[in-house]
Amino acid sequence: MTTSDALLFNPATYDPHWFDAETRRLLKATVEWFETKGKNQLLADDRDAVWVADFLEFVGREKLFATFLTPAAHADGDPNRRWDTARNAALSEILGFYGLSYWYAEQVTILGLGPIWQSANESATRRAAADLADGQVMAFALSEQSHGADIYNTDLVLTPTAPGSADAEAGILFRANGEKYYIGNGNVASMVSVFSRRADLDGAEGYVWFAADSRHDAYELRGNVVHGQMYVSTFRLVDYPVRAEDILHTGPEAFSAALNTVNVGKFNLCHGGIGMVEHAFHEAITHADNRILYGEPVTRFPHVRGNFIDAYSRIAAMKLFSDRAVDYFRSASLEDRRYLLFNPMTKSKVTSEAEVVTTLLLDVLAAKGFEKNTYFAQVARLISTLPRLEGTVHVNVGQILKFMPNYLFEPQDYPEVGTRLDAADDEFFWRQGPARGAAKVRFADWAPVYDKHADVANVARFTEQARALRTLLATAAPEETQRTDLDFMLTVGHLFSLVVYGQLILEQAAITGLDGDVLDQIFDFQIRDFNAHATTLYGKSSATAAQREWAVAALRAPVADEARAERMWQRVASYNGAYAMRP
């Protein structure tokens, strides 16, 4: 078969007609740049760890990052430049589809811009806008080798200059000394947002974000800490001069700027991962459906078909959740901060699902999945990085748990959030306010969303499990010692994540008119995943008798439907030969 459905990204048929003309042009130009480069060169550059300089030349020539990553407030009147999460997500998916290294160059530019666009320093924001227009990229220097991304500790120190000294006369406020580690784009970034502390102040009052230039003589590039196309640098500042025009944030505001930047930046991981597994899926189905084993196509084996159907439905769920999360991001305000839950969900849940999909496909491809002439081999090698960037899954599930009581038990009314594909600037990202109060965020009632789809067999069955989770927390909630046991609470967090995941999937399914077979199949795996986490809870040594009793009672079998499974297989098989990258 050579005609696929339209749910997965296919460069051969891609036409993002829902965007404005310039956005469509740039997205399609990006696809064409990669297709012209060709698969052979793309894979050779990956194998040889070639820095993505040619891609950045394209970015500069087309002003791609300047157009997509400059907020309207700093766009000097250019109507095409804005921060538009919907089109940024589309670009992340495309870049992930062709290679994580290309996505990473954009990702760390987004992070580097976070403290800048939140800053009131007009000199710095003007410089950033001009540099983007000139084709430059940015970097985000928070983490250190000893402390990781621990915001409370940093060994990069600013020493104030002495009044009346030559430095003071030259307008130098501080000299910066120290190292940063695991800093993407740190080899070329024109502006590196650096987190530091003042030597003369204690605690949060001493925090400072400032902008450094990787081309400055006092900026010592120590090397790339990984082997690959991505340049994940370590660098040292040696008496680096910091002037007023370099200061982005100070004191507690600097702490909030760090967390708010991560809120913006880590959202892009989900769409990057989606692009990666979409390309892997195209390769996998085309290979497997044409491979003859024991006189039959490999895809005649029931377990192979099952893996493909599961992989397809999981990719569909990833896209549905992430696309709907875009709407909540773009509609966010100080009065509606539901995005603070959906953000770590995209980070932890969606990227973890990308790993699951890759394993399902690799179990079919076996040795073929490691061959150097496949894009799949790159995905298999790199997909595990996404759940572990911008905070681990454990950190993000820990954040998700903060929202659980209000989400499950204390709903409040909100205006309906519509689909947000309009050409608007998402300026709220740069005024998110203090990074606190997550436990106070309220949500619309999730149960009616599920009830609207009660006619879908597996949605109805999973709804029973979702309500069972609420029963667990009402009748056999984690005891005090369990609440301080992160290992135990992470299991509860995974159960809760499935309920949130299902809500946005259902909302987006209704918006897009998703085929009922696909929706039913998605909740087939939702039920199985809930069962797995409930079983894990049952096996915890610290679980109480009541909690174990609940775990057994919460188990459900998905509703089987052979006719649906056959229709799903035909949908999956339609991707055989639908896309292959140009050689």
Side-chain angles (χ1 to χ4, degrees):
M1 300 183 185
T2 57
T3 303
S4 65
D5 72 0
L7 192 55
L8 304 193
F9 176 71
N10 183 344
T13 58
Y14 184 58
D15 180 20
H17 57 84
W18 47 90
F19 289 125
D20 63 275
E22 181 62 5
T23 298
R24 291 197 306 271
R25 186 191 73 79
L26 284 171
L27 291 174
K28 294 181 78 171
T30 302
V31 170
E32 184 58 28
W33 184 85
F34 282 108
E35 292 291 333
T36 300
K37 183 183 178 78
K39 180 178 179 180
N40 293 340
Q41 191 61 53
L42 192 81
L43 297 181
D45 286 354
D46 175 57
R47 288 193 302 270
D48 298 337
V50 176
W51 167 242
V52 296
D54 57 346
F55 171 64
L56 295 183
E57 288 176 8
F58 163 78
V59 167
R61 183 170 66 252
E62 294 289 346
K63 298 190 183 301
L64 179 62
F65 289 177
T67 302
F68 277 53
L69 305 183
T70 306
H74 308 295
D76 198 26
D78 184 344
N80 292 311
R81 298 186 192 183
R82 63 182 184 274
W83 196 282
D84 177 336
T85 303
R87 68 177 187 178
N88 284 352
L91 180 59
S92 287
E93 183 177 2
I94 291 170
L95 297 181
F97 189 91
Y98 289 106
L100 188 65
S101 299
Y102 305 97
W103 170 89
Y104 187 69
E106 182 212 24
Q107 168 69 3
V108 289
T109 295
I110 288 172
L111 289 168
L113 288 167
I116 298 171
W117 295 145
Q118 292 177 75
S119 176
N121 185 333
E122 293 185 6
S123 174
T125 56
R126 285 195 303 269
R127 190 180 357 151
D131 282 359
L132 286 174
D134 191 43
Q136 302 296 327
V137 295
M138 310 298 168
F140 181 70
L142 174 62
S143 65
E144 298 174 7
Q145 189 168 15
S146 298
H147 305 298
D150 181 357
I151 301 176
Y152 296 97
N153 292 285
T154 177
D155 290 332
L156 200 143
V157 177
L158 298 183
T159 302
T161 55
S165 65
D167 273 359
E169 293 296 323
I172 299 172
L173 302 180
F174 304 96
R175 289 285 180 173
N177 286 276
E179 288 190 19
K180 290 293 181 178
Y181 191 82
Y182 231 80
I183 312 303
N185 288 356
N187 55 325
V188 297
S190 66
M191 295 181 74
V192 182
S193 294
V194 181
F195 188 71
S196 63
R197 61 178 174 86
R198 289 179 54 159
D200 58 328
L201 294 176
D202 295 326
E205 293 301 324
Y207 295 149
V208 178
W209 277 104
F210 69 94
D213 187 338
S214 70
R215 300 163 294 190
H216 195 283
D217 289 342
Y219 182 105
E220 294 184 359
L221 183 64
R222 309 297 290 272
N224 192 348
V225 303
V226 303
H227 176 75
Q229 286 187 276
M230 294 177 281
Y231 203 103
V232 187
S233 72
T234 178
F235 68 82
R236 182 171 183 80
L237 300 184
V238 181
D239 288 335
Y240 189 98
V242 179
R243 296 176 168 82
E245 59 265 31
D246 303 318
I247 302 294
L248 303 174
H249 302 275
T250 61
E253 177 189 298
F255 182 89
S256 290
L259 294 181
N260 291 338
T261 293
V262 173
N263 283 342
V264 176
K266 71 182 179 184
F267 180 71
N268 300 287
L269 277 74
C270 63
H271 285 93
I274 288 168
M276 292 174 74
V277 294
E278 285 174 319
H279 198 158
F281 184 90
H282 280 290
E283 276 195 343
I285 188 61
T286 300
H287 169 75
D289 208 25
N290 290 283
R291 179 167 171 75
I292 304 301
L293 192 63
Y294 306 118
E296 297 279 1
V298 168
T299 51
R300 290 285 180 90
F301 294 103
H303 69 286
V304 170
R305 289 192 175 190
N307 275 29
F308 271 115
I309 291 171
D310 211 19
Y312 175 87
S313 59
R314 286 179 187 272
I315 297 172
M318 292 164 65
K319 294 195 75 167
L320 292 163
F321 181 90
S322 300
D323 288 349
R324 183 57 174 154
V326 167
D327 300 333
Y328 284 94
F329 266 67
R330 303 197 73 193
S331 303
S333 66
L334 291 176
E335 292 72 42
D336 182 357
R337 300 202 298 161
R338 287 177 285 177
Y339 74 101
L340 290 175
L341 167 59
F342 303 140
N343 190 27
M345 281 288 301
T346 59
K347 165 62 184 71
S348 62
K349 179 61 178 174
V350 177
T351 60
S352 294
E353 284 293 285
E355 281 193 287
V356 173
V357 168
T358 303
T359 300
L360 287 165
L361 297 177
L362 189 57
D363 284 345
V364 172
L365 291 184
K368 182 68 177 178
F370 300 101
E371 291 183 8
K372 65 181 181 180
N373 65 341
T374 65
Y375 178 76
F376 194 100
Q378 183 184 143
V379 174
R381 188 181 81 247
L382 295 173
I383 198 67
S384 61
T385 63
L386 293 178
R388 295 160 181 87
L389 293 170
E390 325 308 343
T392 65
V393 169
H394 307 87
V395 168
N396 282 274
V397 174
Q399 292 177 353
I400 288 166
L401 281 165
K402 296 177 183 178
F403 302 96
M404 185 168 64
N406 280 349
Y407 180 95
L408 291 175
F409 296 104
E410 297 291 340
Q412 78 171 40
D413 291 333
Y414 282 98
E416 182 70 23
V417 172
T419 301
R420 294 295 310 277
L421 293 171
D422 49 309
D425 185 70
D426 300 337
E427 50 87 24
F428 172 72
F429 284 159
W430 318 119
R431 55 175 186 84
Q432 294 179 60
R436 60 175 181 267
K440 297 180 180 179
V441 177
R442 303 278 292 279
F443 298 86
D445 194 350
W446 55 275
V449 179
Y450 280 90
D451 293 339
K452 287 178 184 177
H453 296 85
D455 58 325
V456 180
N458 282 312
V459 174
R461 191 154 291 186
F462 180 81
T463 304
E464 296 174 10
Q465 293 182 307
R467 289 197 163 95
L469 177 62
R470 189 162 56 182
T471 300
L472 169 70
L473 298 174
T475 63
E479 298 174 346
E480 184 176 353
T481 55
Q482 292 173 325
R483 290 196 298 271
T484 60
D485 179 354
L486 183 58
D487 179 62
F488 182 90
M489 291 305 299
L490 284 174
T491 303
V492 177
H494 287 306
L495 289 165
F496 172 54
S497 294
L498 288 168
V499 179
V500 180
Y501 200 52
Q503 178 199 331
L504 264 61
I505 288 169
L506 290 170
E507 290 183 9
Q508 190 69 1
I511 290 168
T512 61
L514 183 71
D515 183 86
D517 285 343
V518 180
L519 188 61
D520 207 13
Q521 194 66 47
I522 286 171
F523 278 86
D524 178 291
F525 77 71
Q526 282 274 99
I527 292 166
R528 288 184 277 120
D529 290 355
F530 194 97
N531 289 344
H533 293 303
T535 303
T536 298
L537 183 69
Y538 180 91
K540 292 291 182 186
S541 60
S542 59
T544 66
Q547 289 163 349
R548 289 197 173 100
E549 182 179 346
W550 172 88
V552 173
L555 299 179
R556 297 288 187 277
V559 179
D561 185 334
E562 290 185 9
R564 182 193 74 224
E566 178 58 28
R567 291 190 299 270
M568 284 297 298
W569 168 246
Q570 293 302 321
R571 178 184 291 267
V572 168
S574 73
Y575 282 89
N576 175 5
Y579 168 77
M581 189 175 180
R582 300 176 198 169

